[in-house]
Amino acid sequence: MYILNQNSEFLFYKLLSNSYLSKNNLLSDIFLNVLNKYKKYLCLKKRNNIIVNNKPNRFQILLLIKLIHNFWKIKYISERGFIYIENIKDLNTSFLHYKKVNIYSSNGIILPGIIIPNNNYKTSYKKYNTKYKLKIDIGVSTMTEVYKLGINYNSVIFLRDSLSILNKKYLVSNHISSKLGLFILLEIKSSFTKQENINFILYNNLKNKTLILKNQIKIIITLNRRKRICMIFINKENLEKILFYCQKTNISCYINSYKINTYFVTLNVKYLNTPNEMIKKKDLEKIIQFVIWIFTEFN
């Protein structure tokens, strides 16, 4: 039975505290280790998809983990040294006001900043204020100072993530959903000793996923029935066992009548798409154990 222990909590904390886009960090090391360890089984595809290919076109079980980028790029720098980014869809930006951020400069230095309300519509930058609703102060007074720090257009900005545990029951962090799929994959991999026990794909935008396995059912794990973090493809004849397992372990599973052979397993996250999201440890443990059980039972 999978248990979220202290090592797992520390791993999750490190995932939330680092971005794999920076040069030297934990996530880039994790990907390098995976590639080196399983290079006989991996092939790198377009769109940054990493595909395990030990049984080409004959997958019995396939796990797809979505990588959600929790970052923004600088779109405008004002003469007074303020940085602007585009408005974020499906996110109440008022929650972000006075939150701290990290900015990755071109010289490799991580610089701090703070998001402030952008309510000044009387300046000559009105056209930028209407489009770029998030404004970041990095403690400078001119545009030239911003450039001297190595910050330019398209520099990457991240929220400062941290992990807290409430009442030993809930995990709380800034945008916990952004790294949840990757954390689940790493915990699943750590539970297997043989490298051929699991086939998986890390994907950002996998448009042809339905063409991979035409004759299998698709189980989609979602957050609050909205945000998918991973998918499992499995043979149809195993569906009855899976549904029975979900019923026995109180996992929320339902079918979408508009999508043939597609089932949804829901993982509830409080305050989804806000700077601080909350997830119950037992719910996360059940989902990870559910996927481990699938690969153990049917592989």
Side-chain angles (χ1 to χ4, degrees):
M1 181 65 67
Y2 171 81
I3 299 294
L4 196 70
N5 55 32
Q6 287 186 340
N7 290 334
S8 301
E9 292 171 358
F10 179 71
L11 172 63
F12 204 12
Y13 165 75
K14 295 299 290 183
L15 292 180
L16 291 164
S17 303
N18 292 271
S19 163
Y20 64 86
L21 293 181
S22 58
K23 294 181 180 178
N24 297 311
N25 56 74
L26 178 74
L27 280 179
S28 62
D29 293 340
I30 289 173
F31 280 114
L32 287 175
N33 289 336
V34 169
L35 286 172
N36 290 332
K37 188 173 181 180
Y38 303 106
K39 57 186 176 183
K40 291 191 302 183
Y41 302 89
L42 293 171
C43 59
L44 194 60
K45 298 290 187 180
K46 293 181 179 179
R47 306 187 203 94
N48 297 322
N49 298 325
I50 302 174
I51 301 180
V52 173
N53 205 22
N54 57 346
K55 295 179 181 178
N57 301 322
R58 291 188 295 109
F59 291 116
Q60 291 183 343
I61 306 173
L62 180 65
L63 175 67
L64 294 90
I65 297 289
K66 185 170 180 60
L67 300 177
I68 303 173
H69 294 301
N70 181 25
F71 69 90
W72 312 295
K73 291 185 177 180
I74 296 173
K75 296 299 181 182
Y76 175 67
I77 302 172
S78 72
E79 292 182 3
R80 295 177 58 192
F82 290 111
I83 292 172
Y84 292 84
I85 59 180
E86 287 184 309
N87 190 28
I88 305 168
K89 295 180 180 179
D90 302 323
L91 182 62
N92 187 345
T93 55
S94 63
F95 285 103
L96 294 174
H97 292 162
Y98 305 108
K99 286 286 183 181
K100 294 179 181 179
V101 295
N102 286 331
I103 304 171
Y104 291 85
S105 64
S106 58
N107 52 22
I109 299 175
I110 300 176
L111 300 168
I114 185 169
I115 299 175
I116 59 175
N118 181 27
N119 299 322
N120 185 7
Y121 292 92
K122 297 181 180 179
T123 67
S124 59
Y125 306 108
K126 182 177 180 180
K127 61 180 179 179
Y128 298 107
N129 288 331
T130 55
K131 183 176 181 181
Y132 306 130
K133 294 184 179 180
L134 288 179
K135 180 180 179 181
I136 298 172
D137 187 352
I138 60 171
V140 301
S141 55
T142 65
M143 182 192 302
T144 305
E145 288 185 74
V146 178
Y147 294 143
K148 285 182 179 179
L149 292 171
I151 299 174
N152 209 322
Y153 299 107
N154 290 325
S155 292
V156 178
I157 298 174
F158 287 84
L159 281 175
R160 289 188 181 180
D161 292 327
S162 60
L163 180 66
S164 301
I165 301 176
L166 299 185
N167 196 24
K168 299 182 180 180
K169 295 181 180 179
Y170 288 90
L171 305 176
V172 183
S173 177
N174 294 342
H175 290 285
I176 200 170
S177 56
S178 296
K179 307 285 176 63
L180 196 55
L182 183 59
F183 172 72
I184 289 174
L185 171 62
L186 294 173
E187 288 297 282
I188 292 169
K189 288 298 297 177
S190 67
S191 68
F192 290 95
T193 55
K194 295 181 181 180
Q195 54 195 22
E196 66 269 19
N197 275 351
I198 179 171
N199 300 311
F200 65 91
I201 295 177
L202 304 176
Y203 75 100
N204 292 324
N205 183 20
L206 196 60
K207 295 181 179 179
N208 61 341
K209 54 183 175 292
T210 55
L211 301 178
I212 297 174
L213 298 167
K214 294 181 179 179
N215 298 320
Q216 299 198 350
I217 62 168
K218 180 167 58 176
I219 301 170
I220 301 176
I221 298 178
T222 63
L223 304 179
N224 300 6
R225 292 198 178 190
R226 288 193 295 161
K227 198 171 190 178
R228 64 179 60 184
I229 55 173
C230 68
M231 289 183 287
I232 303 168
F233 288 88
I234 195 164
N235 295 331
K236 291 182 181 179
E237 57 266 25
N238 298 321
L239 175 61
E240 186 176 352
K241 282 186 178 180
I242 291 174
L243 295 179
F244 178 76
Y245 179 92
C246 290
Q247 183 181 22
K248 183 178 65 175
T249 55
N250 294 320
I251 291 177
S252 177
C253 182
Y254 65 99
I255 183 171
N256 188 329
S257 58
Y258 296 103
K259 296 183 179 181
I260 300 175
N261 297 324
T262 301
Y263 292 79
F264 292 83
V265 172
T266 300
L267 181 60
N268 184 48
V269 175
K270 289 185 177 180
Y271 320 123
L272 187 66
N273 290 336
T274 67
N276 286 292
E277 298 175 334
M278 180 187 294
I279 185 170
K280 198 171 184 178
K281 287 177 64 176
K282 284 188 177 180
D283 290 344
L284 181 56
E285 288 172 346
K286 283 197 301 184
I287 293 297
I288 294 177
Q289 180 58 44
F290 170 61
V291 182
I292 292 173
W293 173 80
I294 286 178
F295 280 92
T296 304
E297 182 76 14
F298 303 119
N299 207 0

